[in-house]
Amino acid sequence: MRILLVDDDRAILDSLQETLNWEKIGIDEVETASSVDQAEKLLLKREADIVVSDIELPGKSGLDFLEWFREKQMTGKFLLLTGFESFEYAKQAVRLHAEEYLIKPFSASMMEILLQKMVLSRREDLEKEESQKLGEWAKDNGREIVRHFWEDIFSGRIHGGQESILKKVRERGMTLPSEASFRLIAIKVTETEEDERQLGSGLFEFSLQNIVSEIFFGSPENEAVICRSEGGSRILLCASVFSSADEAVRKCRELKERCDALLASTITCCVSEETGLCDLKETADRCTALLGSSVMYYGEIFLERDASGTKEGYEPVLKLETMQALLDARDNRGFLDYLKKEIDARTRVHLLDRSVLSLIHREIQQAVYAYLAREGIQVTLLLSDPTGMDMAEKADRSVIDMMRWTNYFLRKVFEYEDSLREADDIISRIDGYIREHYQEDIGRTEIGEAFFLVPEYLSRMYKKKTGQNLKDAINECRLSHARTLLSGSDHLVSEIALEVGFDSFSYFSTVFKKSVGMTPNEYRKRHSS
C-alpha cells in the first residue's frame, strides 16, 4: 500500500514520516512532495493508494490538486489537511468527494486511526475490483458475509443445534473450528461524549472495532466484532477460542490499556464461560445484562461466573436515623464516609449491583427530602439544574457515579441553606425580584419557585424578617410605580393598573385608595405636573 504526503512545510512531512507507525497502519511505501506540481508528476508516473495533502499550498491549492486527481479518474483515497475551520473548504471537499477532512493540529493517534480506516476502505475497493475481474461473488462479499453471520448469531436469527449452525457456516464459505468451545467477550464503552466529539460517531465506532479486532484476532480488519448502540453507550461482542479464562482476561487487559491510552471513554469487559456456537446468543444476552447491572465491576474486567453469584432479596442499605443525624450536623464528609463503608461491605460479599445502587439512590433522596421539608426548601426545584439532573441520572451506573452525585447533592443543599441563613441577603434578593417582576402575575408561589422555597415557608419568613406581608410588599411596589405614572403621564387609569401588574381595575382602585387615602383620579388631579 503506497501513500503520498503533500505539504510545503518540510518539518511537517518529516514529522509524519518519523512519528506514524506505518507498518501498523498498513502502509509499506511513503513518498512526499512539497507542491502540487511535484505531486502531480509523481502520480502520473505511478498512482498512490492514499494521498494526504495540505490545502494551503503555494501556487495550486490542495483543493485544486483534488479536482485534478478526480479529473484524472484516479481511484485512491484522498485526505485533506487544513489549519483553518472554513465552511467553504469543507463544502468544496464534500463536492470533490474527499474521503476525510482533518483540521490541524491533530494527534498522531488520530491520524493513525484515520489512515487505518482509509487503508481498509482502499483494500476493500481493490478486492472488489479483483473480484469483479475474477467473477467471484463470494470473494467480493467475504467481509460482509462474515459480519452478517456474527450479527445473525448474536441476534438469534441463526439458531438451532451445533451441526445446523456449522452447515450454515459451510454454506457461506466460511471456516470455524467444529469441536471448539468459544468464550464470548462482551465490552461496554461508556462516557463516550468526549471521544465522539473529537472523532465523530462513525470514526469512534470504527476505532473501537479496529482495536478489538487487532487485539483478539491479530488483525484490525476482522469482521467478527459486532458493535451495538445502547443508549449513550456502545456494546461490542466477539467470540473466540481461548486456551483458558486467564488468556481471555489478559487480552481484555491489553484492550483496556490500549483504549486508556487513546480514548477518554470507560471500558468494562465481561468474559463468559466456555460455550458452543448454538448458545452464543443466550450467552451474549446474559453478559450484556451483567454489564449493565454489575456496577461494582464498572470500568473493570470480570468473569461471568463471578458476577452471576450476586444474591437477590435486599434489605434497606442505609439507616435513616444515621443519615438524619449526619444531615442535621451538616456533615458532608461524614455522610460520604458512611455511604462508602456500606457500599464496600456489600461489594466484599458480592451484594452490590445496579438494583442496590438504585435503592441507595432512593434512600438518600428520601432522607434529604425529609430534611429539607423541615427547612421549607423545595428540593426538586433546587436540584433541577442540568448538571444535577445529569448526575442523578447516572448515579446508579457505578460506585464512583453514586459518590459524585451524593457529594454534589449534599454540597448544593448545604450551600443553599447557608445562603438562607443570611436573612438580610435573601430578603434583599426577594425585594429585588419583586422590583424586577412587579408587572407580572407574581405571588408567593412564583417567588417561592424562584428561590426554591415552599410558599408557606417563604411568607412566614418574609413577615418575620420585615414585619410586612409578602402580598402587601408586592402591592406597595406596584403602587409606587402607579403613582409615578399617574402624575407624569396621560395614560388612562385602567391602562396604568394593567401596566403595573393589577389584573382588575376595581381591585387596583380599592388598594390604591386604602394605601394613599384617595382614588387614582383624585391623586392625578392633585399631583399632575
Side-chain angles (χ1 to χ4, degrees):
M1 194 72 64
R2 179 171 173 263
I3 190 169
L4 174 61
L5 308 175
V6 186
D7 200 303
D8 61 323
D9 189 335
R10 189 69 242 178
I12 291 178
L13 291 176
D14 291 342
S15 176
L16 289 172
Q17 282 186 286
E18 295 168 8
T19 304
L20 301 183
N21 187 337
W22 295 108
E23 182 178 353
K24 175 185 172 183
I25 294 169
I27 298 291
D28 45 40
E29 189 177 346
V30 181
E31 282 198 312
T32 64
S34 57
S35 68
V36 171
D37 287 338
Q38 185 183 359
E40 289 175 354
K41 290 176 182 177
L42 289 171
L43 290 178
L44 288 173
K45 291 180 181 177
R46 185 181 168 206
E47 288 190 27
D49 297 291
I50 296 173
V51 177
V52 178
S53 175
D54 192 12
I55 291 180
E56 294 84 26
L57 292 168
K60 297 177 184 176
S61 72
L63 290 167
D64 296 329
F65 182 27
L66 175 55
E67 188 166 14
W68 174 87
F69 188 86
R70 295 302 179 214
E71 287 174 354
K72 294 297 181 182
Q73 297 184 342
M74 295 185 178
T75 59
K77 304 295 179 181
F78 210 106
L79 166 60
L80 285 170
L81 307 178
T82 179
F84 303 95
E85 290 193 50
S86 165
F87 175 74
E88 188 61 29
Y89 281 174
K91 186 171 72 173
Q92 291 188 59
V94 169
R95 180 178 65 82
L96 295 169
H97 306 292
E99 275 70 19
E100 298 290 347
Y101 180 89
L102 191 60
I103 297 173
K104 302 175 185 176
F106 49 82
S107 65
S109 59
M110 182 179 291
M111 175 62 88
E112 286 184 354
I113 290 170
L114 273 174
L115 290 178
Q116 283 177 318
K117 182 181 179 184
M118 294 174 74
V119 165
L120 180 58
S121 177
R122 177 60 174 162
R123 283 179 179 163
E124 288 175 346
D125 289 347
L126 293 173
E127 288 174 5
K128 183 177 288 187
E129 290 173 11
E130 182 184 1
S131 297
Q132 288 171 347
K133 291 175 184 176
L134 298 173
E136 298 177 2
W137 182 90
K139 189 172 183 179
D140 184 46
N141 294 274
R143 286 199 179 91
E144 286 296 301
I145 290 171
V146 173
R147 183 173 63 81
H148 283 300
F149 171 79
W150 287 109
E151 284 181 348
D152 290 345
I153 283 286
F154 292 133
S155 66
R157 288 190 291 268
I158 291 181
H159 52 82
Q162 189 88 348
E163 189 51 44
S164 172
I165 293 177
L166 287 172
K167 181 180 178 183
K168 290 180 171 64
V169 170
R170 292 190 292 271
E171 288 172 354
R172 286 164 170 75
M174 297 167 53
T175 56
L176 286 175
S178 58
E179 301 299 326
S181 292
F182 293 84
R183 284 189 190 272
L184 176 86
I185 308 298
I187 303 155
K188 187 167 188 175
V189 187
T190 51
E191 299 180 82
T192 64
E193 296 84 0
E194 177 64 20
D195 291 324
E196 292 196 68
R197 187 183 68 80
Q198 289 279 349
L199 301 174
S201 180
L203 186 56
F204 175 59
E205 286 192 6
F206 172 83
S207 303
L208 290 172
Q209 289 178 287
N210 184 298
I211 295 168
V212 173
S213 293
E214 185 174 352
I215 288 173
F216 286 98
F217 300 101
S219 166
E221 301 168 23
N222 193 287
E223 297 297 328
V225 179
I226 302 304
C227 183
R228 300 171 175 172
S229 293
E230 187 180 271
S233 308
R234 301 292 191 282
I235 299 290
L236 290 98
L237 302 170
C238 64
S240 189
V241 178
F242 298 96
S243 59
S244 65
D246 288 343
E247 183 194 0
V249 169
R250 181 177 59 78
K251 288 286 188 182
C252 287
R253 286 201 189 98
E254 189 179 341
L255 170 67
K256 274 186 63 62
E257 289 172 2
R258 180 80 63 83
C259 288
D260 288 346
L262 294 175
L263 304 171
S265 302
T266 299
I267 308 294
T268 308
C269 301
C270 176
V271 179
S272 80
E273 295 295 286
E274 288 190 322
T275 186
L277 273 172
C278 55
D279 297 318
L280 278 173
K281 197 271 182 187
E282 289 75 14
T283 303
D285 290 345
R286 285 198 312 274
C287 289
T288 301
L290 287 173
L291 284 169
S293 64
S294 302
V295 294
M296 62 184 172
Y297 295 113
Y298 182 77
E300 304 293 337
I301 300 160
F302 65 94
L303 300 177
E304 177 192 5
R305 63 171 176 263
D306 292 338
S308 298
T310 304
K311 300 173 186 176
E312 298 182 358
Y314 304 108
E315 296 295 325
V317 180
L318 304 176
K319 293 180 180 179
L320 181 59
E321 59 271 21
T322 302
M323 289 190 288
Q324 287 176 337
L326 291 166
L327 289 169
D328 288 339
R330 295 166 54 81
D331 188 355
N332 192 340
R333 172 49 54 194
F335 198 108
L336 292 173
D337 289 343
Y338 170 61
L339 172 60
K340 186 67 165 60
K341 184 185 77 171
E342 294 300 324
I343 287 176
D344 288 345
R346 278 153 182 79
T347 300
R348 284 193 295 271
V349 292
H350 295 274
L351 278 175
L352 185 71
D353 62 12
R354 192 158 194 164
S355 63
V356 176
L357 278 190
S358 295
L359 176 61
I360 292 172
H361 192 177
R362 292 194 299 273
E363 289 175 347
I364 293 173
Q365 284 180 321
Q366 289 166 3
V368 175
Y369 287 7
Y371 169 74
L372 290 178
R374 300 198 305 269
E375 302 294 320
I377 299 174
Q378 293 181 314
V379 67
T380 52
L381 293 172
L382 175 61
L383 296 173
S384 61
D385 63 290
T387 300
M389 293 172 68
D390 182 62
M391 294 180 79
E393 185 177 336
K394 295 176 179 177
D396 59 357
R397 185 176 65 179
S398 71
V399 173
I400 292 174
D401 287 305
M402 176 60 69
M403 298 299 292
R404 285 174 180 161
W405 169 75
T406 304
N407 183 47
Y408 178 86
F409 191 29
L410 297 180
R411 182 167 51 78
K412 186 150 189 179
V413 166
F414 292 147
E415 285 176 356
Y416 192 73
E417 266 196 307
D418 288 339
S419 72
L420 288 181
R421 293 177 194 279
E422 299 291 333
D424 292 341
D425 178 62
I426 192 68
I427 294 299
S428 66
R429 286 161 58 198
I430 291 171
D431 287 340
Y433 182 89
I434 292 171
R435 289 193 296 272
E436 186 176 347
H437 298 275
Y438 72 92
Q439 294 172 297
E440 303 168 18
D441 182 17
I442 60 170
R444 66 180 189 175
T445 299
E446 291 73 27
I447 298 174
E449 288 181 355
F451 292 92
F452 315 119
L453 295 172
V454 175
E456 293 78 8
Y457 175 83
L458 169 66
S459 295
R460 289 197 305 271
M461 180 191 71
Y462 193 87
K463 177 68 180 290
K464 181 179 178 181
K465 299 298 180 183
T466 67
Q468 184 181 33
N469 290 325
L470 183 63
K471 185 175 182 180
D472 291 341
I474 296 171
N475 283 339
E476 185 177 289
C477 179
R478 288 170 171 166
L479 292 175
S480 173
H481 287 277
R483 290 194 297 271
T484 300
L485 290 171
L486 285 168
S487 62
S489 77
D490 58 358
H491 295 177
L492 296 175
V493 174
S494 58
E495 291 175 346
I496 291 173
L498 293 174
E499 189 172 342
V500 298
F502 288 96
D503 57 4
S504 165
F505 172 69
S506 61
Y507 179 62
F508 167 65
S509 296
T510 300
V511 172
F512 190 95
K513 184 172 184 180
K514 182 178 178 181
S515 173
V516 182
M518 62 186 77
T519 67
N521 281 320
E522 290 171 343
Y523 182 90
R524 166 169 274 175
K525 289 176 182 177
R526 185 173 298 183
H527 294 89
S528 292
S529 53

